[in-house]
Amino acid sequence: MKTVFKFYQIFFLALFIISCKSETISQVTEVDSSRPSNTITYKEMASMFHQYDVGQKPVLDKYRKELTGDANEIESISHFYDINQLKQYIAYVERLSKEKDIELTGVRIFTAAYPKDYPEEILRGRQTLIFMPTADTKEKKNVAYEPLYSNKGEAIPFTKFLDQFSSKETKQVVRASFLPFIGDQEDLKSSGANRLKPTPPM
């Protein structure tokens, strides 16, 4: 009887410790839901949209019309990401970074465009975005890096891998260090994200 009683004592003590630990973990990982410091006002938003509409947009629309031969074509003005995909992506790069003992500092968003021979014809040549996780290196802060192939505790810039597939023109854009172009090399997985739904089209 004493043995059974002792077993239950140990069992409930273990349950108590586990519940305390999980409570502590949930407190640590809880995200602040107050209004972020980088939110803006509608006046600021309107001025930014206006500057884009009189600056970059006409140039991009002209390119779109020339590319498609359709006078009614305009460039994408927004991109949609499902909220659960965003949460999953953040959780994914957090996990990869933790496994490599690298502190994830944020996500860098790069402007890009779908190739002219992209499988989905409706997206060919359209502006898009590519997400990459960031970390601090010895040289710079918030560098877009590749957690899949980084060493333990050492964030390696994603351009080290990107440049293996980049054209001469792409390499001239300052993103980081450059390697020789290997166009027909076997493809390589990245931790970057895209697969956006642009508007237009919709």
Side-chain angles (χ1 to χ4, degrees):
M1 189 72 178
K2 279 184 180 178
T3 311
V4 174
F5 180 71
K6 201 166 189 179
F7 168 78
Y8 279 113
Q9 273 187 319
I10 293 165
F11 177 74
F12 285 116
L13 181 65
L15 275 180
F16 176 72
I17 290 166
I18 290 165
S19 67
C20 286
K21 276 187 177 177
S22 44
E23 201 172 297
T24 308
I25 290 165
S26 67
Q27 284 173 359
V28 171
T29 57
E30 192 176 327
V31 178
D32 180 7
S33 61
S34 61
R35 190 172 193 265
S37 59
N38 59 355
T39 52
I40 61 174
T41 66
Y42 273 103
K43 192 173 181 179
E44 288 175 297
M45 194 189 298
S47 67
M48 291 176 190
F49 280 141
H50 170 74
Q51 187 56 49
Y52 178 79
D53 290 345
V54 299
Q56 289 92 327
K57 192 173 187 302
V59 178
L60 293 170
D61 286 348
K62 184 184 175 190
Y63 170 76
R64 185 76 200 154
K65 287 171 175 49
E66 287 172 358
L67 180 75
T68 63
D70 186 344
N72 297 314
E73 276 281 306
I74 60 169
E75 187 49 90
S76 302
I77 55 170
S78 71
H79 300 88
F80 171 77
Y81 242 123
D82 179 85
I83 189 70
N84 292 317
Q85 285 185 336
L86 277 175
K87 286 179 179 179
Q88 184 185 1
Y89 180 67
I90 291 167
Y92 171 66
V93 292
E94 280 181 330
R95 176 178 64 80
L96 291 179
S97 299
K98 190 177 180 183
E99 287 171 0
K100 295 294 173 77
D101 294 327
I102 296 168
E103 185 183 351
L104 179 69
T105 62
V107 174
R108 194 169 286 280
I109 303 172
F110 292 93
T111 307
Y114 291 104
K116 291 178 183 178
D117 59 353
Y118 195 71
E120 288 182 62
E121 193 175 340
I122 200 165
L123 295 178
R124 290 176 185 174
R126 281 205 175 275
Q127 187 178 331
T128 187
L129 303 170
I130 294 174
F131 290 28
M132 285 300 300
T134 63
D136 294 343
T137 65
K138 289 175 185 176
E139 295 79 26
K140 288 183 178 179
K141 289 188 174 293
N142 305 317
V143 173
Y145 91 107
E146 183 48 81
L148 284 174
Y149 313 116
S150 287
N151 303 319
K152 279 269 185 181
E154 182 194 2
I156 297 177
F158 86 113
T159 45
K160 180 173 182 181
F161 309 98
L162 173 69
D163 291 343
Q164 296 176 44
F165 304 91
S166 295
S167 65
K168 184 180 175 183
E169 291 78 14
T170 300
K171 287 181 186 181
Q172 288 170 352
V173 178
V174 180
R175 289 195 179 99
S177 58
F178 302 124
L179 294 177
F181 174 52
I182 310 170
D184 52 1
Q185 177 178 313
E186 190 180 339
D187 209 350
L188 191 66
K189 284 184 180 177
S190 82
S191 58
N194 177 249
R195 310 287 186 243
L196 296 156
K197 291 180 182 175
T199 309
M202 196 66 177

